[in-house]
Amino acid sequence: MTPDNYIQTFTPPEHNSMEIVEDNSFSYDGYQVVRGEFFAHIHEPSFTFNNNKVYLNMACIRKLPQTEYVQILVHPEEKRLAVRPCKEEEKDSFRWCTKNAKKRGPKQITCRVFYAKIFSLMGWNPQYRYKLLGKLIQSNGELLFIFDLKTEYCFQQILGDQTRVEEG
């Protein structure tokens, strides 16, 4: 049995020395697809919400090496988030990465109100960390990242011994 969305496109090159065994008795019955959050996604653009902060990963920064400032746009009906490169002087722009003489890196941005609005819109638990995987697209000659808020990966926070519980 072959999954409905499987398309066979592999043709081994003639110079390939790897032996391929023909086994028509193989069946997908009993197999389960491993969930995507069990794998690292360091080469895919991601947007993370964690403890009233947001940040984009290094994959995003590498895909737009000349970009220093971005705007975040939200489409509440489609539940999508866009990250648009922009100039520093544009309204609501902010620096999205750290920058020093040697390299750029992800920058965590504190944004309590935005964080609360997204969590309310999506019904997310603020005690968890959420990661969105996205795509770099080009639209009308402009590059931007698109993230679908409905396809989040949710991670439960692990609380260590340093956690202080206040009773009131």
Side-chain angles (χ1 to χ4, degrees):
M1 178 175 172
T2 305
D4 294 337
N5 62 350
Y6 177 76
I7 299 172
Q8 185 174 0
T9 58
F10 176 73
T11 304
E14 291 184 26
H15 66 278
N16 189 345
S17 62
M18 185 174 92
E19 180 182 349
I20 298 176
V21 177
E22 180 89 19
D23 183 357
N24 293 325
S25 67
F26 176 80
S27 169
Y28 284 101
D29 291 341
Y31 283 85
Q32 295 179 3
V33 175
V34 178
R35 293 171 32 180
E37 65 256 33
F38 294 154
F39 299 97
H41 296 280
I42 60 174
H43 299 293
E44 298 175 64
S46 73
F47 191 104
T48 301
F49 293 86
N50 190 21
N51 294 324
N52 293 307
K53 297 177 184 166
V54 299
Y55 59 93
L56 289 104
N57 70 348
M58 200 60 203
C60 294
I61 295 165
R62 284 189 189 111
K63 288 182 185 289
L64 297 175
Q66 305 303 315
T67 301
E68 290 187 41
Y69 291 86
V70 296
Q71 294 170 323
I72 295 178
L73 300 91
V74 176
H75 194 301
E77 287 83 33
E78 291 184 8
K79 295 190 170 48
R80 293 187 354 156
L81 184 143
V83 177
R84 177 184 172 265
C86 66
K87 296 179 180 168
E88 179 181 10
E89 60 272 6
E90 290 188 52
K91 183 176 180 356
D92 300 320
S93 70
F94 63 91
R95 186 182 291 273
W96 73 321
C97 62
T98 61
K99 182 180 176 185
N100 62 36
K102 294 183 180 183
K103 68 176 191 171
R104 297 162 17 119
K107 178 179 181 180
Q108 291 191 10
I109 299 126
T110 302
C111 50
R112 293 182 191 281
V113 174
F114 171 64
Y115 193 90
K117 286 185 175 288
I118 292 294
F119 276 62
S120 175
L121 174 70
M122 299 308 298
W124 291 347
N125 183 337
Q127 300 302 314
Y128 293 175
R129 176 172 58 100
Y130 292 86
K131 180 183 279 192
L132 310 171
L133 297 181
K135 299 288 182 211
L136 179 64
I137 67 166
Q138 182 171 347
S139 179
N140 299 314
E142 182 177 43
L143 292 173
L144 65 146
F145 290 105
I146 296 293
F147 299 93
D148 187 344
L149 292 162
K150 299 179 304 286
T151 59
E152 80 284 357
Y153 292 106
C154 177
F155 301 92
Q156 187 173 3
Q157 302 288 355
I158 306 299
L159 302 176
D161 291 340
Q162 309 91 306
T163 304
R164 212 174 57 186
V165 177
E166 294 183 13
E167 297 181 36

